Amino acid sequence: VSLYESARRARATGQTLLPVELPSRTRSGATVWLELSARELADGASHGLHCIARDVTERKLAQETIRHQALHDQLTGLPNRGLFNDRLRMAIADAQRRNEVVGVFFLDLDRFKHINDSLGHPVGDALLIQVAQRIQACLRDSDTVSRRGGDEFTVILPRIDQPQDLSMLAQRLVKAFAQPFECLDHRIYVTTSIGIAAFPADARDVEGLVNCADIAMYRAK
C-alpha cells in the first residue's frame, strides 16, 4: 500500500518515486525489511510499476540497535536520563490536560559503594540489574523507571488521582527490598531511600520535579 500510495503521489506531483522500506514476512514467519525502488510503466491507458526489492534487514536492525543504545542504559536496559526527561515532559503535558497528578520517585541504594568496594564491580553490576527488575515488577505498565546513573533510579508515575497515593506506591517499593538479592553466589540485603515529588504541587517542569524528588531522597537517607 505504501509503495502504490507513493507512486500515486509521485504521478500527481511529477516527482521522482523514492525507495520505500516495507516489512515483509518469509515463509517461516520471520520478518524482513525490503527496500523497494520502482519506476512507473505507462502504456496508453494501462499503468504499472517495475519494482526492484533489496533486503535491508541488517541495516534496519543496526539502526534500531543504535537508536536503542542512545536512549537506554547499557547495563540494565532501562530508559536513560534523556528518554526519562522526554517521557516526564509528555506526562506533565497530559496531566495538565486531564487535571491529574504526576509523581516522580528518586531512589538511591543505601551503602551501595560499600557493596561495590567489598564484593567487586561484577557483583555490584549484577545487583543493579536485579534492582532494576524488582522496581519494574512493582510498577504499572504506564509507569517508567530509569537508571539515572550509578545506583540512582528515577520513576515516573502518571495519572495519579491523589498525591497521597504516591506514598503507598513508595511503601510497596520499600517492601520489595525486604527480600535478599542473589548475586554471583552472594546473598545481599540492601535497602533504598526514596524521595517523592508531585506535579503540580511541588513543581511544574521536569527539572523542578526531579530536583524536588532528589532533595527529598537525601532527607530520607
Side-chain angles (χ1 to χ4, degrees):
V1 175
S2 297
L3 180 63
Y4 281 99
E5 179 64 22
S6 180
R8 187 190 65 79
R9 286 198 300 266
R11 186 188 309 124
T13 60
Q15 297 176 344
T16 303
L17 182 58
L18 299 175
V20 177
E21 292 183 354
L22 296 172
S24 181
R25 286 195 178 277
T26 65
R27 290 181 180 178
S28 64
T31 298
V32 297
W33 280 87
L34 300 178
E35 182 186 79
L36 300 178
S37 55
R39 62 185 180 88
E40 188 177 9
L41 299 176
D43 181 15
S46 300
H47 292 273
L49 291 175
H50 177 262
C51 299
I52 299 175
R54 187 161 63 97
D55 188 339
V56 293
T57 305
E58 264 190 50
R59 186 181 75 194
K60 292 289 288 187
L61 291 176
Q63 290 172 343
E64 182 58 32
T65 298
I66 292 171
R67 180 179 177 278
H68 186 274
Q69 290 175 345
L71 297 174
H72 293 79
D73 174 56
Q74 298 302 299
L75 177 63
T76 63
L78 295 177
N80 61 16
R81 185 179 303 197
L83 182 54
F84 174 90
N85 289 346
D86 285 343
R87 290 186 179 178
L88 180 53
R89 197 172 293 112
M90 289 188 291
I92 291 171
D94 189 52
Q96 287 175 322
R97 290 191 297 268
R98 297 172 178 270
N99 195 29
E100 293 176 335
V101 175
V102 178
V104 172
F105 288 171
F106 203 117
L107 294 85
D108 181 88
L109 301 185
D110 300 324
R111 302 179 68 247
F112 176 74
K113 186 178 185 304
H114 173 73
I115 294 170
N116 224 16
D117 292 345
S118 60
L119 300 179
H121 289 282
V123 174
D125 287 348
L127 175 60
L128 290 172
I129 292 170
Q130 290 190 36
V131 165
Q133 294 168 347
R134 196 169 293 188
I135 294 173
Q136 283 182 304
C138 294
L139 301 177
R140 305 165 299 175
D141 291 340
S142 58
D143 301 332
T144 295
V145 56
S146 163
R147 184 183 177 210
R148 198 157 188 86
D151 61 328
E152 294 179 340
F153 297 84
T154 45
V155 179
I156 304 169
L157 301 118
R159 300 196 175 182
I160 300 295
D161 293 327
Q162 300 292 332
Q164 294 85 346
D165 297 339
L166 295 173
S167 61
M168 292 188 292
L169 292 169
Q171 286 299 319
R172 185 191 306 170
L173 281 172
V174 170
K175 289 179 181 178
F177 280 77
Q179 297 299 317
F181 295 85
E182 304 290 342
C183 304
L184 303 180
D185 298 326
H186 294 277
R187 174 169 291 183
I188 301 173
Y189 288 87
V190 65
T191 56
T192 182
S193 298
I194 304 177
I196 304 173
F199 167 89
D202 297 317
R204 292 178 172 267
D205 59 19
V206 171
E207 184 178 1
L209 283 170
V210 173
N211 286 342
C212 285
D214 188 16
I215 292 169
M217 183 273 294
Y218 276 103
R219 288 181 179 173
K221 187 179 286 290

